[in-house]
Amino acid sequence: MTPRSLVLLVLTTVAVALFARNAGRLVAYLRLGKPDPERFDDPRARSDDVGTYVLAQARMFRVPASGIMHALIFWGFIVITLGTVELFGRGFWAGFSIPLASDRPWFLLSQDLFAGLVLLGVLMAVAIRYGKRPERISQTWDAAVILSLIAFLMLTLLAYVALGLVAAG
């Protein structure tokens, strides 16, 4: 194991431990409540709702611009997560690859395309939040920080790809 891989392993271990501690605290709060016998009463309807409201983001499209913005960011992150898994794996093992995806033109194009779409979603969010700002939206530092971090993450992904192309000649 290289020194860089060891540093990544230590940082990952610390991050997972902190996450587990926080998740355990939140689970303890959940256990304070009473059981809900209706939680699993209609699995078909609940799975339909997951498809409609979580995956398709149906409620977001009540306001079309906000819906498109949320969909771009949400689906961008869904697609980019596969690339993140690959990059994380390569942090430990130089030859790590995801079968049927890594280094394939369609996969590389999807990563770049969705990074651009997420950036477009962030620009839309900034325009909505700080431009015409509907009454239902407040201007907070939290939102500015989150949008900045999302944009920074997408820009670093695109820079990583660009530098990889330069290094490959």
Side-chain angles (χ1 to χ4, degrees), residues 20-85:
R21 185 181 77 177
N22 195 42
R25 184 177 57 84
L26 294 174
V27 167
Y29 286 136
L30 286 173
R31 288 188 175 155
L32 293 174
K34 292 186 264 182
D36 182 6
E38 296 177 11
R39 173 62 80 194
F40 300 103
D41 62 342
D42 190 357
R44 172 76 177 161
R46 290 184 181 278
S47 63
D48 287 348
D49 285 350
V50 167
T52 302
Y53 300 113
V54 176
L55 299 177
Q57 302 278 295
R59 284 194 181 121
M60 292 293 145
F61 288 98
R62 291 179 189 159
V63 180
S66 295
I68 291 168
M69 178 260 311
H70 277 96
L72 290 174
I73 294 171
F74 175 77
W75 281 104
F77 269 98
I78 295 294
V79 171
I80 289 168
T81 295
L82 191 57
T84 303
V85 168

Side-chain angles (χ1 to χ4, degrees), residues 134-167:
E135 287 184 28
R136 69 183 188 283
I137 295 177
S138 60
Q139 292 181 348
T140 64
W141 279 104
D142 291 352
V145 168
I146 290 168
L147 290 172
S148 298
L149 290 173
I150 292 171
F152 180 73
L153 187 61
M154 294 305 105
L155 292 171
T156 56
L157 173 62
L158 292 171
Y160 170 81
V161 171
L163 292 171
L165 291 172
V166 169

Side-chain angles (χ1 to χ4, degrees), residues 113-137:
L113 177 66
F114 278 93
L117 291 173
V118 170
L119 282 172
L120 177 61
V122 168
L123 289 174
M124 289 175 70
V126 167
I128 291 168
R129 182 168 290 276
Y130 300 103
K132 68 178 197 177
R133 193 175 73 83
E135 287 184 28
R136 69 183 188 283
I137 295 177

Side-chain angles (χ1 to χ4, degrees), residues 1-16 88 91-92:
M1 183 172 274
T2 67
R4 274 193 249 169
S5 296
L6 186 59
V7 169
L8 181 60
L9 180 62
V10 168
L11 291 174
T12 301
T13 303
V14 168
V16 168
F88 193 74
F92 287 109

